[in-house]
């Protein structure tokens, strides 16, 4: 029992948990970007869907989410200024 408790407090275990939380946040933001486009009736090509779903940069996903609100085409996620 002691070894298990130690593991959960170990810095490596905390790092793994933080990476999992970060990945979860990225997945949620990517899903929101795609959902906004879907709600707006904008078709999303497989290449665009893959690019959004594989992105792990939270700032980039936030930018794409803002762009998705105003885009008229899914490609504008990557080209709007």
């Amino acid at each position: 029992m002691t070894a298990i408790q130690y593991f959960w407090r170990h810095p490596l275990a905390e790092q793994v948990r933080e990476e999992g939380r970060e990945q979860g946040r990225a997945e949620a933001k990517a899903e929101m970007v795609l959902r906004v486009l879907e709600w707006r009736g904008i078709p999303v090509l497989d290449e665009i869907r893959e690019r959004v779903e594989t992105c792990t940069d939270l700032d980039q996903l936030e930018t794409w989410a803002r762009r998705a609100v105003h885009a008229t085409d899914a490609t504008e996620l990557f080209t709007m200024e």
Side-chain angles (χ1 to χ4, degrees):
M1 188 73 159
T2 304
I4 292 172
Q5 290 175 349
Y6 173 75
F7 173 76
W8 292 111
R9 289 182 274 185
H10 191 277
L12 179 58
E14 182 55 39
Q15 178 183 353
V16 169
R17 284 192 296 275
E18 181 56 35
E19 288 172 1
R21 287 189 289 266
E22 186 87 6
Q23 181 180 357
R25 286 190 289 270
E27 288 172 0
K29 281 192 179 210
E31 183 179 336
M32 183 55 64
V33 170
L34 297 171
R35 194 167 280 165
V36 167
L37 293 171
E38 176 188 319
W39 290 335
R40 298 190 59 231
I42 297 173
V44 179
L45 298 174
D46 289 340
E47 302 85 48
I48 293 172
R49 180 176 304 282
E50 183 178 349
R51 183 172 175 185
V52 172
E53 289 176 340
T54 59
C55 182
T56 58
D57 182 336
L58 293 173
D59 291 333
Q60 183 63 67
L61 288 163
E62 181 70 26
T63 297
W64 290 344
R66 276 188 261 114
R67 290 176 180 175
V69 173
H70 302 288
T72 57
D73 183 273
T75 60
E76 291 179 16
L77 294 179
F78 315 120
T79 59
M80 291 178 69
E81 293 299 323

